[in-house]
CSV table of all heavy atoms in Angstrom, one decimal:
chain,number,residue,atom,x,y,z
R,1,MET,N,3.8,0.4,45.0
R,1,MET,CA,3.3,0.8,43.8
R,1,MET,C,3.3,2.4,43.7
R,1,MET,O,3.6,3.0,42.7
R,1,MET,CB,1.9,0.2,43.6
R,1,MET,CG,1.3,0.5,42.3
R,1,MET,SD,2.1,-0.3,40.9
R,1,MET,CE,1.2,-1.8,40.9
R,2,GLU,N,2.9,3.0,44.9
R,2,GLU,CA,2.8,4.4,44.9
R,2,GLU,C,4.2,5.1,44.8
R,2,GLU,O,4.3,6.1,44.2
R,2,GLU,CB,2.1,4.9,46.2
R,2,GLU,CG,1.9,6.3,46.3
R,2,GLU,CD,0.8,6.8,45.4
R,2,GLU,OE1,-0.1,6.0,45.0
R,2,GLU,OE2,0.8,8.0,45.0
R,3,GLU,N,5.2,4.4,45.4
R,3,GLU,CA,6.5,4.9,45.3
R,3,GLU,C,7.1,4.9,43.9
R,3,GLU,O,7.8,5.8,43.5
R,3,GLU,CB,7.5,4.1,46.2
R,3,GLU,CG,7.2,4.1,47.7
R,3,GLU,CD,6.2,3.1,48.1
R,3,GLU,OE1,5.9,2.1,47.3
R,3,GLU,OE2,5.7,3.2,49.2
R,4,LEU,N,6.6,3.9,43.1
R,4,LEU,CA,7.1,3.9,41.7
R,4,LEU,C,6.5,5.0,40.9
R,4,LEU,O,7.2,5.6,40.0
R,4,LEU,CB,6.7,2.5,41.1
R,4,LEU,CG,7.3,2.2,39.7
R,4,LEU,CD1,8.8,2.3,39.8
R,4,LEU,CD2,6.9,0.8,39.3
R,5,TRP,N,5.3,5.4,41.2
R,5,TRP,CA,4.7,6.5,40.4
R,5,TRP,C,5.4,7.8,40.8
R,5,TRP,O,5.6,8.7,39.9
R,5,TRP,CB,3.2,6.7,40.8
R,5,TRP,CG,2.3,5.8,40.0
R,5,TRP,CD1,1.7,4.6,40.4
R,5,TRP,CD2,2.1,5.8,38.6
R,5,TRP,NE1,1.0,4.0,39.4
R,5,TRP,CE2,1.2,4.8,38.2
R,5,TRP,CE3,2.4,6.7,37.6
R,5,TRP,CZ2,0.8,4.6,36.9
R,5,TRP,CZ3,2.0,6.5,36.3
R,5,TRP,CH2,1.2,5.5,36.0
R,6,MET,N,5.8,8.0,42.0
R,6,MET,CA,6.5,9.2,42.4
R,6,MET,C,7.9,9.2,41.7
R,6,MET,O,8.3,10.3,41.2
R,6,MET,CB,6.7,9.2,44.0
R,6,MET,CG,7.4,10.4,44.4
R,6,MET,SD,6.5,11.9,44.1
R,6,MET,CE,6.6,12.6,45.7
R,7,TYR,N,8.5,8.1,41.7
R,7,TYR,CA,9.8,8.0,41.0
R,7,TYR,C,9.7,8.3,39.5
R,7,TYR,O,10.5,9.0,39.0
R,7,TYR,CB,10.4,6.6,41.3
R,7,TYR,CG,11.7,6.3,40.6
R,7,TYR,CD1,12.9,6.9,41.2
R,7,TYR,CD2,11.9,5.5,39.5
R,7,TYR,CE1,14.1,6.7,40.6
R,7,TYR,CE2,13.1,5.3,38.9
R,7,TYR,CZ,14.2,5.9,39.5
R,7,TYR,OH,15.4,5.7,38.9
R,8,ILE,N,8.7,7.7,38.9
R,8,ILE,CA,8.5,8.0,37.5
R,8,ILE,C,8.2,9.5,37.2
R,8,ILE,O,8.7,10.0,36.2
R,8,ILE,CB,7.3,7.1,36.9
R,8,ILE,CG1,7.8,5.6,36.9
R,8,ILE,CG2,6.9,7.5,35.5
R,8,ILE,CD1,6.7,4.6,36.6
R,9,THR,N,7.5,10.1,38.1
R,9,THR,CA,7.2,11.5,37.9
R,9,THR,C,8.4,12.4,38.1
R,9,THR,O,8.6,13.3,37.3
R,9,THR,CB,6.1,12.0,39.0
R,9,THR,OG1,5.0,11.1,38.9
R,9,THR,CG2,5.8,13.4,38.9
R,10,VAL,N,9.3,12.0,39.0
R,10,VAL,CA,10.5,12.8,39.2
R,10,VAL,C,11.5,12.6,38.0
R,10,VAL,O,12.1,13.5,37.5
R,10,VAL,CB,11.2,12.4,40.5
R,10,VAL,CG1,12.6,12.9,40.6
R,10,VAL,CG2,10.4,12.8,41.7
R,11,VAL,N,11.5,11.4,37.5
R,11,VAL,CA,12.4,11.1,36.3
R,11,VAL,C,11.9,11.8,35.1
R,11,VAL,O,12.6,12.3,34.3
R,11,VAL,CB,12.6,9.6,36.1
R,11,VAL,CG1,13.3,9.3,34.8
R,11,VAL,CG2,13.3,8.9,37.3
R,12,ALA,N,10.5,11.8,34.9
R,12,ALA,CA,9.9,12.5,33.8
R,12,ALA,C,10.2,14.0,33.9
R,12,ALA,O,10.4,14.7,32.8
R,12,ALA,CB,8.4,12.2,33.7
R,13,ALA,N,10.1,14.6,35.1
R,13,ALA,CA,10.4,16.0,35.3
R,13,ALA,C,11.9,16.3,34.9
R,13,ALA,O,12.2,17.3,34.3
R,13,ALA,CB,10.1,16.4,36.7
R,14,ALA,N,12.8,15.4,35.2
R,14,ALA,CA,14.2,15.5,34.8
R,14,ALA,C,14.3,15.5,33.3
R,14,ALA,O,15.1,16.2,32.7
R,14,ALA,CB,15.0,14.4,35.5
R,15,GLY,N,13.5,14.6,32.7
R,15,GLY,CA,13.6,14.6,31.2
R,15,GLY,C,13.1,15.9,30.6
R,15,GLY,O,13.6,16.3,29.6
R,16,LEU,N,12.0,16.4,31.2
R,16,LEU,CA,11.5,17.7,30.7
R,16,LEU,C,12.5,18.8,30.8
R,16,LEU,O,12.7,19.7,30.0
R,16,LEU,CB,10.2,18.1,31.4
R,16,LEU,CG,9.0,17.4,30.9
R,16,LEU,CD1,7.8,17.7,31.8
R,16,LEU,CD2,8.7,17.7,29.5
R,17,LEU,N,13.2,18.8,32.0
R,17,LEU,CA,14.3,19.8,32.2
R,17,LEU,C,15.4,19.7,31.2
R,17,LEU,O,15.9,20.7,30.6
R,17,LEU,CB,14.8,19.7,33.6
R,17,LEU,CG,15.9,20.6,34.0
R,17,LEU,CD1,15.5,22.0,34.0
R,17,LEU,CD2,16.5,20.2,35.4
R,18,SER,N,15.8,18.4,30.9
R,18,SER,CA,16.8,18.2,29.9
R,18,SER,C,16.3,18.7,28.5
R,18,SER,O,17.1,19.3,27.8
R,18,SER,CB,17.1,16.7,29.9
R,18,SER,OG,18.1,16.5,29.0
R,19,PHE,N,15.1,18.4,28.2
R,19,PHE,CA,14.6,18.9,26.9
R,19,PHE,C,14.6,20.4,26.8
R,19,PHE,O,14.9,21.0,25.8
R,19,PHE,CB,13.1,18.3,26.7
R,19,PHE,CG,12.5,18.8,25.5
R,19,PHE,CD1,12.9,18.4,24.2
R,19,PHE,CD2,11.5,19.8,25.5
R,19,PHE,CE1,12.3,18.9,23.0
R,19,PHE,CE2,10.9,20.2,24.4
R,19,PHE,CZ,11.3,19.8,23.1
R,20,PHE,N,14.1,21.1,27.9
R,20,PHE,CA,14.1,22.6,27.9
R,20,PHE,C,15.5,23.1,27.8
R,20,PHE,O,15.8,24.1,27.1
R,20,PHE,CB,13.4,23.1,29.0
R,20,PHE,CG,11.9,22.9,29.0
R,20,PHE,CD1,11.2,22.5,30.1
R,20,PHE,CD2,11.2,23.1,27.8
R,20,PHE,CE1,9.8,22.2,30.0
R,20,PHE,CE2,9.8,22.9,27.7
R,20,PHE,CZ,9.1,22.5,28.8
R,21,LEU,N,16.5,22.5,28.4
R,21,LEU,CA,17.9,22.9,28.3
R,21,LEU,C,18.4,22.7,26.9
R,21,LEU,O,19.2,23.5,26.4
R,21,LEU,CB,18.8,22.2,29.3
R,21,LEU,CG,18.7,22.6,30.8
R,21,LEU,CD1,19.4,21.6,31.7
R,21,LEU,CD2,19.1,24.0,31.0
R,22,CYS,N,18.0,21.6,26.3
R,22,CYS,CA,18.4,21.4,24.9
R,22,CYS,C,17.8,22.5,24.0
R,22,CYS,O,18.5,23.0,23.1
R,22,CYS,CB,17.9,20.0,24.4
R,22,CYS,SG,18.2,19.6,22.7
R,23,CYS,N,16.5,22.8,24.1
R,23,CYS,CA,15.9,23.9,23.3
R,23,CYS,C,16.6,25.2,23.6
R,23,CYS,O,16.8,26.0,22.7
R,23,CYS,CB,14.4,23.9,23.6
R,23,CYS,SG,13.5,22.5,23.0
R,24,TYR,N,16.9,25.5,24.9
R,24,TYR,CA,17.5,26.8,25.2
R,24,TYR,C,18.9,26.9,24.5
R,24,TYR,O,19.2,27.9,24.0
R,24,TYR,CB,17.6,26.9,26.7
R,24,TYR,CG,18.3,28.2,27.1
R,24,TYR,CD1,17.6,29.4,27.2
R,24,TYR,CD2,19.6,28.2,27.5
R,24,TYR,CE1,18.2,30.6,27.5
R,24,TYR,CE2,20.3,29.4,27.9
R,24,TYR,CZ,19.5,30.5,27.9
R,24,TYR,OH,20.2,31.7,28.2
R,25,SER,N,19.6,25.8,24.6
R,25,SER,CA,21.0,25.9,24.1
R,25,SER,C,20.9,25.9,22.5
R,25,SER,O,21.8,26.5,21.9
R,25,SER,CB,21.8,24.6,24.5
R,25,SER,OG,21.3,23.5,23.9
R,26,TYR,N,19.9,25.3,21.9
R,26,TYR,CA,19.8,25.4,20.5
R,26,TYR,C,19.5,26.8,20.0
R,26,TYR,O,20.0,27.3,19.0
R,26,TYR,CB,18.8,24.4,20.0
R,26,TYR,CG,18.6,24.3,18.5
R,26,TYR,CD1,19.6,23.8,17.7
R,26,TYR,CD2,17.5,24.9,17.9
R,26,TYR,CE1,19.5,23.8,16.3
R,26,TYR,CE2,17.4,24.9,16.5
R,26,TYR,CZ,18.4,24.3,15.7
R,26,TYR,OH,18.2,24.4,14.4
R,27,PHE,N,18.5,27.4,20.7
R,27,PHE,CA,18.1,28.7,20.2
R,27,PHE,C,18.8,29.9,20.7
R,27,PHE,O,18.9,31.0,20.1
R,27,PHE,CB,16.6,28.9,20.6
R,27,PHE,CG,15.7,28.0,19.8
R,27,PHE,CD1,15.0,27.0,20.4
R,27,PHE,CD2,15.6,28.1,18.4
R,27,PHE,CE1,14.1,26.2,19.7
R,27,PHE,CE2,14.8,27.3,17.6
R,27,PHE,CZ,14.0,26.3,18.3
R,28,LYS,N,19.4,29.8,21.9
R,28,LYS,CA,20.0,31.0,22.5
R,28,LYS,C,21.6,31.0,22.5
R,28,LYS,O,22.2,32.1,22.4
R,28,LYS,CB,19.6,31.1,24.0
R,28,LYS,CG,18.1,31.3,24.2
R,28,LYS,CD,17.8,32.8,23.8
R,28,LYS,CE,16.3,33.0,24.1
R,28,LYS,NZ,16.0,34.4,23.8
R,29,ILE,N,22.2,29.9,22.6
R,29,ILE,CA,23.7,29.9,22.7
R,29,ILE,C,24.3,29.0,21.6
R,29,ILE,O,25.4,28.4,21.8
R,29,ILE,CB,24.1,29.4,24.1
R,29,ILE,CG1,23.7,28.0,24.4
R,29,ILE,CG2,23.7,30.3,25.2
R,29,ILE,CD1,24.3,27.3,25.6
R,30,LYS,N,23.7,29.0,20.4
R,30,LYS,CA,24.3,28.2,19.4
R,30,LYS,C,25.6,28.7,18.8
R,30,LYS,O,26.4,27.9,18.2
R,30,LYS,CB,23.3,28.0,18.2
R,30,LYS,CG,22.8,29.2,17.6
R,30,LYS,CD,21.9,28.8,16.4
R,30,LYS,CE,20.6,29.6,16.5
R,30,LYS,NZ,19.7,29.3,15.4
R,31,ASP,N,26.0,29.9,19.1
R,31,ASP,CA,27.3,30.4,18.6
R,31,ASP,C,28.4,30.2,19.6
R,31,ASP,O,29.6,30.5,19.3
R,31,ASP,CB,27.2,31.9,18.2
R,31,ASP,CG,26.2,32.1,17.0
R,31,ASP,OD1,26.1,31.1,16.2
R,31,ASP,OD2,25.6,33.1,16.9
R,32,ALA,N,28.1,29.8,20.8
R,32,ALA,CA,29.1,29.6,21.8
R,32,ALA,C,30.0,28.4,21.5
R,32,ALA,O,29.5,27.5,20.9
R,32,ALA,CB,28.5,29.5,23.2
R,33,PRO,N,31.2,28.4,22.0
R,33,PRO,CA,32.1,27.2,21.7
R,33,PRO,C,31.5,26.0,22.5
R,33,PRO,O,31.3,26.1,23.7
R,33,PRO,CB,33.5,27.6,22.3
R,33,PRO,CG,33.3,29.0,22.8
R,33,PRO,CD,32.0,29.5,22.6
R,34,GLY,N,31.4,24.9,21.9
R,34,GLY,CA,30.9,23.7,22.5
R,34,GLY,C,29.4,23.6,22.6
R,34,GLY,O,28.8,22.7,23.2
R,35,ALA,N,28.7,24.6,22.0
R,35,ALA,CA,27.2,24.6,22.2
R,35,ALA,C,26.6,23.5,21.4
R,35,ALA,O,25.6,22.9,21.8
R,35,ALA,CB,26.7,25.9,21.7
R,36,THR,N,27.1,23.1,20.2
R,36,THR,CA,26.6,22.0,19.4
R,36,THR,C,26.7,20.7,20.1
R,36,THR,O,25.8,19.9,20.2
R,36,THR,CB,27.3,22.0,18.1
R,36,THR,OG1,27.2,23.2,17.4
R,36,THR,CG2,26.6,20.9,17.2
R,37,SER,N,27.8,20.5,20.8
R,37,SER,CA,28.0,19.2,21.5
R,37,SER,C,27.1,19.2,22.7
R,37,SER,O,26.5,18.2,23.0
R,37,SER,CB,29.5,19.2,22.0
R,37,SER,OG,30.4,19.1,20.9
R,38,TYR,N,27.0,20.3,23.4
R,38,TYR,CA,26.1,20.4,24.5
R,38,TYR,C,24.6,20.1,24.1
R,38,TYR,O,23.9,19.4,24.8
R,38,TYR,CB,26.2,21.7,25.2
R,38,TYR,CG,25.3,21.9,26.4
R,38,TYR,CD1,25.6,21.2,27.6
R,38,TYR,CD2,24.1,22.6,26.4
R,38,TYR,CE1,24.7,21.3,28.7
R,38,TYR,CE2,23.2,22.7,27.4
R,38,TYR,CZ,23.6,22.0,28.6
R,38,TYR,OH,22.7,22.1,29.7
R,39,THR,N,24.2,20.7,23.0
R,39,THR,CA,22.8,20.5,22.5
R,39,THR,C,22.6,19.0,22.2
R,39,THR,O,21.6,18.4,22.6
R,39,THR,CB,22.6,21.3,21.3
R,39,THR,OG1,22.8,22.7,21.6
R,39,THR,CG2,21.2,21.2,20.8
R,40,LEU,N,23.6,18.4,21.6
R,40,LEU,CA,23.5,17.0,21.2
R,40,LEU,C,23.4,16.1,22.5
R,40,LEU,O,22.6,15.2,22.6
R,40,LEU,CB,24.6,16.5,20.3
R,40,LEU,CG,24.6,15.1,19.9
R,40,LEU,CD1,23.4,14.8,19.0
R,40,LEU,CD2,25.9,14.8,19.1
R,41,VAL,N,24.2,16.4,23.4
R,41,VAL,CA,24.3,15.6,24.7
R,41,VAL,C,23.0,15.7,25.4
R,41,VAL,O,22.4,14.7,25.9
R,41,VAL,CB,25.5,16.0,25.5
R,41,VAL,CG1,25.4,15.4,26.9
R,41,VAL,CG2,26.8,15.5,24.9
R,42,THR,N,22.4,16.9,25.5
R,42,THR,CA,21.2,17.1,26.2
R,42,THR,C,20.0,16.5,25.5
R,42,THR,O,19.1,15.9,26.1
R,42,THR,CB,20.8,18.6,26.5
R,42,THR,OG1,20.9,19.3,25.3
R,42,THR,CG2,21.8,19.2,27.6
R,43,LEU,N,20.1,16.5,24.1
R,43,LEU,CA,19.0,15.8,23.4
R,43,LEU,C,19.1,14.3,23.6
R,43,LEU,O,18.0,13.6,23.8
R,43,LEU,CB,19.2,16.1,21.9
R,43,LEU,CG,18.2,15.5,20.9
R,43,LEU,CD1,16.8,16.1,21.2
R,43,LEU,CD2,18.6,15.7,19.5
R,44,LEU,N,20.3,13.7,23.6
R,44,LEU,CA,20.4,12.3,23.9
R,44,LEU,C,20.0,11.9,25.3
R,44,LEU,O,19.4,10.9,25.6
R,44,LEU,CB,21.8,11.8,23.6
R,44,LEU,CG,22.2,11.9,22.1
R,44,LEU,CD1,23.7,11.5,21.9
R,44,LEU,CD2,21.3,10.9,21.3
R,45,SER,N,20.3,12.8,26.2
R,45,SER,CA,19.9,12.6,27.6
R,45,SER,C,18.4,12.6,27.7
R,45,SER,O,17.8,11.8,28.5
R,45,SER,CB,20.5,13.7,28.5
R,45,SER,OG,20.0,13.6,29.8
R,46,THR,N,17.7,13.5,27.0
R,46,THR,CA,16.2,13.5,27.0
R,46,THR,C,15.7,12.2,26.4
R,46,THR,O,14.8,11.6,27.0
R,46,THR,CB,15.8,14.7,26.1
R,46,THR,OG1,16.3,15.9,26.7
R,46,THR,CG2,14.3,14.8,26.1
R,47,PHE,N,16.3,11.8,25.4
R,47,PHE,CA,15.8,10.5,24.8
R,47,PHE,C,16.0,9.3,25.7
R,47,PHE,O,15.1,8.5,25.9
R,47,PHE,CB,16.6,10.2,23.5
R,47,PHE,CG,16.3,8.9,22.8
R,47,PHE,CD1,15.1,8.8,22.1
R,47,PHE,CD2,17.1,7.9,22.9
R,47,PHE,CE1,14.7,7.6,21.6
R,47,PHE,CE2,16.8,6.7,22.3
R,47,PHE,CZ,15.6,6.5,21.6
R,48,PHE,N,17.1,9.3,26.4
R,48,PHE,CA,17.4,8.2,27.3
R,48,PHE,C,16.4,8.3,28.5
R,48,PHE,O,15.9,7.2,29.0
R,48,PHE,CB,18.9,8.3,27.8
R,48,PHE,CG,19.2,7.3,28.9
R,48,PHE,CD1,19.4,6.0,28.6
R,48,PHE,CD2,19.2,7.7,30.2
R,48,PHE,CE1,19.7,5.1,29.7
R,48,PHE,CE2,19.5,6.8,31.3
R,48,PHE,CZ,19.7,5.5,31.0
R,49,THR,N,16.2,9.5,29.0
R,49,THR,CA,15.3,9.6,30.2
R,49,THR,C,13.9,9.2,29.9
R,49,THR,O,13.3,8.5,30.7
R,49,THR,CB,15.4,11.1,30.7
R,49,THR,OG1,16.7,11.4,31.0
R,49,THR,CG2,14.6,11.2,32.0
R,50,PHE,N,13.4,9.6,28.8
R,50,PHE,CA,12.0,9.3,28.4
R,50,PHE,C,11.9,7.8,28.0
R,50,PHE,O,10.9,7.2,28.3
R,50,PHE,CB,11.4,10.2,27.3
R,50,PHE,CG,11.0,11.5,27.9
R,50,PHE,CD1,11.6,12.7,27.5
R,50,PHE,CD2,10.0,11.6,28.9
R,50,PHE,CE1,11.2,13.9,28.0
R,50,PHE,CE2,9.7,12.8,29.4
R,50,PHE,CZ,10.3,14.0,28.9
R,51,SER,N,13.0,7.2,27.5
R,51,SER,CA,13.0,5.8,27.2
R,51,SER,C,12.9,5.0,28.5
R,51,SER,O,12.1,4.0,28.6
R,51,SER,CB,14.2,5.4,26.5
R,51,SER,OG,14.3,6.0,25.2
R,52,TYR,N,13.6,5.5,29.5
R,52,TYR,CA,13.5,4.9,30.9
R,52,TYR,C,12.2,5.0,31.5
R,52,TYR,O,11.7,4.1,32.2
R,52,TYR,CB,14.6,5.4,31.8
R,52,TYR,CG,14.7,4.7,33.1
R,52,TYR,CD1,15.2,3.4,33.2
R,52,TYR,CD2,14.3,5.3,34.3
R,52,TYR,CE1,15.3,2.8,34.4
R,52,TYR,CE2,14.4,4.7,35.5
R,52,TYR,CZ,14.9,3.4,35.5
R,52,TYR,OH,14.9,2.7,36.7
R,53,VAL,N,11.5,6.2,31.3
R,53,VAL,CA,10.2,6.4,31.9
R,53,VAL,C,9.2,5.4,31.2
R,53,VAL,O,8.4,4.8,31.9
R,53,VAL,CB,9.7,7.8,31.7
R,53,VAL,CG1,8.2,8.0,31.9
R,53,VAL,CG2,10.5,8.8,32.6
R,54,PHE,N,9.3,5.3,29.9
R,54,PHE,CA,8.3,4.3,29.2
R,54,PHE,C,8.6,2.9,29.6
R,54,PHE,O,7.7,2.1,29.7
R,54,PHE,CB,8.4,4.5,27.7
R,54,PHE,CG,7.7,5.8,27.3
R,54,PHE,CD1,8.3,6.8,26.6
R,54,PHE,CD2,6.3,6.0,27.6
R,54,PHE,CE1,7.7,7.9,26.2
R,54,PHE,CE2,5.7,7.2,27.2
R,54,PHE,CZ,6.3,8.1,26.5
R,55,GLU,N,9.9,2.6,29.8
R,55,GLU,CA,10.2,1.2,30.3
R,55,GLU,C,9.7,1.0,31.7
R,55,GLU,O,9.2,-0.1,32.0
R,55,GLU,CB,11.8,1.1,30.3
R,55,GLU,CG,12.2,-0.3,30.7
R,55,GLU,CD,13.7,-0.4,30.7
R,55,GLU,OE1,14.4,0.5,30.3
R,55,GLU,OE2,14.2,-1.5,31.2
R,56,SER,N,9.7,2.0,32.6
R,56,SER,CA,9.2,1.8,33.9
R,56,SER,C,7.6,1.7,33.9
R,56,SER,O,7.0,1.0,34.6
R,56,SER,CB,9.6,3.0,34.8
R,56,SER,OG,11.0,3.1,34.9
R,57,LEU,N,7.0,2.5,32.9
R,57,LEU,CA,5.6,2.4,32.8
R,57,LEU,C,5.2,1.0,32.2
R,57,LEU,O,4.1,0.5,32.6
R,57,LEU,CB,5.0,3.4,31.9
R,57,LEU,CG,5.0,4.8,32.4
R,57,LEU,CD1,4.6,5.9,31.4
R,57,LEU,CD2,4.1,4.9,33.6
R,58,LYS,N,6.0,0.4,31.4
R,58,LYS,CA,5.8,-0.9,30.9
R,58,LYS,C,5.8,-1.9,32.1
R,58,LYS,O,5.1,-2.9,32.1
R,58,LYS,CB,6.7,-1.3,29.8
R,58,LYS,CG,6.4,-2.5,29.1
R,58,LYS,CD,7.4,-2.7,27.9
R,58,LYS,CE,7.0,-4.0,27.2
R,58,LYS,NZ,7.9,-4.3,26.1
R,59,ALA,N,6.7,-1.7,33.0
R,59,ALA,CA,6.8,-2.6,34.2
R,59,ALA,C,5.5,-2.5,35.0
R,59,ALA,O,5.2,-3.5,35.7
R,59,ALA,CB,8.0,-2.2,35.0
R,60,LEU,N,4.8,-1.4,35.0
R,60,LEU,CA,3.5,-1.3,35.7
R,60,LEU,C,2.4,-1.8,34.8
R,60,LEU,O,1.2,-1.7,35.3
R,60,LEU,CB,3.3,0.2,36.0
R,60,LEU,CG,4.1,0.8,37.1
R,60,LEU,CD1,3.8,2.3,37.2
R,60,LEU,CD2,3.8,0.1,38.4
R,61,HIS,N,2.7,-2.4,33.7
R,61,HIS,CA,1.7,-2.9,32.8
R,61,HIS,C,0.8,-1.8,32.2
R,61,HIS,O,-0.4,-2.0,32.0
R,61,HIS,CB,0.8,-4.0,33.4
R,61,HIS,CG,1.7,-5.1,33.9
R,61,HIS,ND1,2.3,-6.0,33.0
R,61,HIS,CD2,2.0,-5.6,35.1
R,61,HIS,CE1,3.0,-6.9,33.7
R,61,HIS,NE2,2.8,-6.7,35.0
R,62,TRP,N,1.4,-0.6,32.1
R,62,TRP,CA,0.7,0.5,31.5
R,62,TRP,C,0.4,0.3,30.0
R,62,TRP,O,-0.6,0.6,29.5
R,62,TRP,CB,1.5,1.8,31.8
R,62,TRP,CG,0.7,3.1,31.5
R,62,TRP,CD1,0.8,3.8,30.3
R,62,TRP,CD2,-0.2,3.8,32.3
R,62,TRP,NE1,0.0,4.9,30.4
R,62,TRP,CE2,-0.6,4.9,31.6
R,62,TRP,CE3,-0.7,3.6,33.6
R,62,TRP,CZ2,-1.5,5.8,32.1
R,62,TRP,CZ3,-1.5,4.5,34.1
R,62,TRP,CH2,-1.9,5.6,33.4
R,63,PHE,N,1.5,-0.2,29.4
R,63,PHE,CA,1.4,-0.6,28.0
R,63,PHE,C,1.4,-2.1,27.9
R,63,PHE,O,2.1,-2.8,28.6
R,63,PHE,CB,2.6,0.0,27.2
R,63,PHE,CG,2.6,1.5,27.2
R,63,PHE,CD1,3.7,2.1,27.9
R,63,PHE,CD2,1.7,2.2,26.6
R,63,PHE,CE1,3.7,3.5,28.0
R,63,PHE,CE2,1.8,3.6,26.6
R,63,PHE,CZ,2.8,4.2,27.3
R,64,LYS,N,0.7,-2.6,26.9
R,64,LYS,CA,0.7,-4.1,26.8
R,64,LYS,C,1.4,-4.5,25.5
R,64,LYS,O,1.5,-3.8,24.6
R,64,LYS,CB,-0.7,-4.6,26.8
R,64,LYS,CG,-1.3,-4.5,28.2
R,64,LYS,CD,-2.6,-5.2,28.3
R,64,LYS,CE,-3.0,-5.1,29.7
R,64,LYS,NZ,-4.1,-5.9,30.1
């Protein structure tokens, strides 16, 4: 049970990193070639990562 919390924490930190990279690319490098695609990919990665975190929390019966 304790290992699962550690795993969820690491995955959530990866989701936060992906979100900050998405924000950075949206505000700082929007004129670079491929920046729009990169922003979209990091946004979808953030969505997928946090969906997985909430799915893992559901496995712990955090949500009913």
Side-chain angles (χ1 to χ4, degrees):
M1 186 70 85
E2 186 69 29
E3 296 88 14
L4 189 57
W5 278 108
M6 181 65 131
Y7 180 72
I8 290 171
T9 304
V10 169
V11 173
L16 282 174
L17 178 65
S18 181
F19 176 72
F20 289 135
L21 285 173
C22 178
C23 291
Y24 179 80
S25 68
Y26 180 74
F27 290 114
K28 295 288 185 179
I29 60 170
K30 56 177 133 179
D31 295 331
T36 305
S37 300
Y38 179 77
T39 302
L40 181 62
V41 167
T42 54
L43 181 66
L44 292 174
S45 173
T46 301
F47 177 74
F48 174 78
T49 305
F50 283 118
S51 297
Y52 186 71
V53 166
F54 286 121
E55 182 181 351
S56 298
L57 287 174
K58 190 174 181 182
L60 287 174
H61 304 291
W62 190 264
F63 300 110
K64 292 188 177 193

